[in-house]
Amino acid sequence: MLTYKFEDFKTYLKNKNVLITTHAHVDIDGAASCYIFKIFFTSYFKNEAALVLPEFSKSTRDFLEKVSQKFRELSFSFNDEFDISNIDVILVLDTNNLAQVSIFDKLNISNAEIPFIFIDHHLNLKKDYKNNLSSLNIINEQVSSTSEIIFELCEFFNFKLEFPYKFLLISAILTDSGFFKYGNNDTIKRISRLLDDQLDFQEILSTLEFEQDISEKLARIKALQRLKLIRSKDWLIGMTHVGSFEAGVAALLINIGLDVSIVYSEKKTTFRISTRAKKRVCIKTGLHLGKILQEVAEECEGSGGGHDGAASLNGKNDLKKILNKIIEKIKQILK
Ligand SMILES: [Mn+2]
């Protein structure tokens, strides 16, 4: 873990007021890690922290609604009022790609010259951002969720978490680790430390079950009807397109037996590509979808990145060319 950075982090944050935010289409890990970090920060340092999150994904909204019914004492507020001149530093959680952080544009933060720090578990893009205090970034791709980094931070500073907070962290770790599928020994150990007698694992699992609405069901079925199969030696790559739900469809394709999946959706001038690969394929061949999409993104004024087995790209201009590039690069590695 990156605990050696925690002391520097503490020294730096000691007298600072912070703004905490995350990527667009906030997932459960983004919401939980930001929320718990705020709780930790305000109780530990007694400084001010403003939490400002962009729009949530549907499953995040559903999840938080269930959680707030379960724990009436939790009062979620994700859009604190604040005075920007009062903010000393911004903490960006669960991404290290500014293109995914809408609040920077919205608040004109780049012009305000406020320094910022990333806490994240995605591939470190190592972008040379002006005002990023990169030596304080805590970015570790070996951890399956940002919530685990926040949990380690709490443990390191002996900050005791109330059980509703543990419930949130466990839920975030489970969803981001694909219910341990992308996790490692440490993922399981952290969950084990978080589970106390007041928490029931089965109850957490049932809170994380979501019924798909009709539009998502249709998107999944249409995606399968449009599936194009590409074979590279004994590996099967599947490609299809949808109007939305790319990520869920990409995961679905892996579940039905594809080794690698590419799912795109095209808007008027922009497009989005979601990719997935079986863990076994990544380990065996060295395939890293996050790296491939990051490379390709530079050619389409886009931004891309992610993990070895799950990555996405937002771009514009020449979707066809970009898809061919991605397929070529994947094939080259799978050969
Ligand atoms: Mn995450």
Side-chain angles (χ1 to χ4, degrees):
M1 206 42 197
L2 295 166
T3 44
Y4 69 95
K5 282 198 158 181
F6 289 173
E7 283 293 347
D8 293 348
F9 196 64
K10 182 177 94 172
T11 314
Y12 177 79
L13 288 181
K14 214 167 159 193
N15 300 309
K16 305 277 195 297
N17 294 328
V18 303
L19 176 77
I20 304 161
T21 191
T22 183
H23 55 83
H25 309 291
V26 184
D27 58 3
I28 295 177
D29 186 36
S33 56
C34 284
Y35 184 73
I36 305 295
F37 183 76
K38 184 190 166 180
I39 306 278
F40 160 73
F41 181 86
T42 46
S43 346
Y44 192 84
F45 293 101
K46 312 270 185 279
N47 303 336
E48 275 176 51
L51 187 59
V52 181
L53 305 192
E55 80 287 5
F56 288 169
S57 76
K58 189 181 173 294
S59 50
T60 309
R61 277 200 309 271
D62 290 355
F63 169 76
L64 289 172
E65 205 179 295
K66 285 190 223 168
V67 173
S68 44
Q69 275 168 17
K70 201 183 290 286
F71 303 110
R72 298 270 175 198
E73 66 269 39
L74 283 183
S75 59
F76 291 119
S77 115
F78 293 106
N79 272 301
D80 295 335
E81 282 194 18
F82 64 97
D83 173 3
I84 193 134
S85 63
N86 202 22
I87 302 291
D88 301 305
V89 59
I90 300 167
L91 274 308
V92 180
L93 273 59
D94 205 33
T95 180
N96 65 85
N97 184 354
L98 273 201
Q100 297 175 343
V101 186
S102 47
I103 179 173
F104 271 65
D105 283 341
K106 225 158 112 192
L107 300 173
N108 217 347
I109 280 170
S110 313
N111 293 334
E113 301 276 340
I114 303 174
F116 60 92
I117 300 169
F118 291 117
I119 304 180
D120 186 29
H121 69 114
H122 295 95
L123 175 72
N124 191 344
L125 301 177
K126 298 195 174 123
K127 289 203 180 169
D128 200 9
Y129 291 118
K130 194 180 150 216
N131 299 330
N132 177 213
L133 304 171
S134 54
S135 65
L136 291 173
N137 287 347
I138 301 175
I139 302 175
N140 187 349
E141 212 203 331
Q142 304 308 315
V143 185
S144 55
S145 62
T146 301
S147 290
E148 286 165 79
I149 304 177
I150 301 304
F151 174 49
E152 293 261 339
L153 205 66
C154 293
E155 278 192 316
F156 188 81
F157 294 112
N158 291 317
F159 179 72
K160 203 177 157 322
L161 289 158
E162 304 285 332
F163 80 91
Y165 302 149
K166 292 181 178 173
F167 190 101
L168 286 179
L169 288 176
I170 293 170
S171 305
I173 299 169
L174 286 174
T175 45
D176 257 37
S177 72
F179 297 84
F180 297 124
K181 214 155 77 188
Y182 314 113
N184 53 31
N185 295 12
D186 287 329
T187 318
I188 296 173
K189 284 179 194 160
R190 289 184 194 112
I191 294 270
S192 156
R193 295 203 296 278
L194 278 163
L195 277 171
D196 67 21
D197 292 341
Q198 282 170 292
L199 292 168
D200 175 26
F201 187 65
Q202 285 302 329
E203 199 183 322
I204 301 175
L205 288 184
S206 73
T207 315
L208 291 169
E209 267 165 29
F210 304 105
E211 172 65 23
Q212 293 160 3
D213 61 28
I214 180 83
S215 57
E216 183 166 5
K217 286 179 188 166
L218 285 170
R220 290 162 80 97
I221 293 161
K222 282 186 196 159
L224 292 178
Q225 289 173 325
R226 298 169 185 146
L227 181 67
K228 194 179 147 204
L229 188 61
I230 303 156
R231 186 168 173 168
S232 175
K233 286 184 77 185
D234 279 344
W235 303 112
L236 300 178
I237 307 168
M239 183 163 78
T240 187
H241 61 101
V242 285
S244 48
F245 309 108
E246 310 84 32
V249 171
L252 168 72
L253 295 185
I254 299 301
N255 278 339
I256 63 165
L258 275 307
D259 296 299
V260 183
S261 63
I262 304 167
V263 182
Y264 59 92
S265 70
E266 206 174 1
K267 301 269 149 32
K268 254 186 204 148
T269 55
T270 59
F271 58 81
R272 183 174 164 80
I273 303 172
S274 235
T275 58
R276 293 285 184 281
K278 279 192 182 139
K279 193 76 197 169
R280 197 173 61 84
V281 180
C282 298
I283 293 169
K284 217 169 165 181
T285 64
L287 178 70
H288 196 301
L289 293 169
K291 284 182 188 160
I292 293 179
L293 294 201
Q294 188 199 349
E295 282 165 21
V296 174
E298 285 161 19
E299 295 174 40
C300 60
E301 295 174 56
S303 71
H307 305 284
D308 53 357
S312 62
L313 169 110
N314 291 297
K316 46 185 160 184
N317 300 332
D318 221 342
L319 171 64
K320 227 177 169 174
K321 193 182 96 194
I322 295 297
L323 287 170
N324 285 333
K325 278 247 156 89
I326 294 171
I327 295 167
E328 263 331 293
K329 281 180 187 276
I330 293 173
K331 276 180 160 176
Q332 252 170 34
I333 293 167
L334 296 188
K335 85 170 169 218

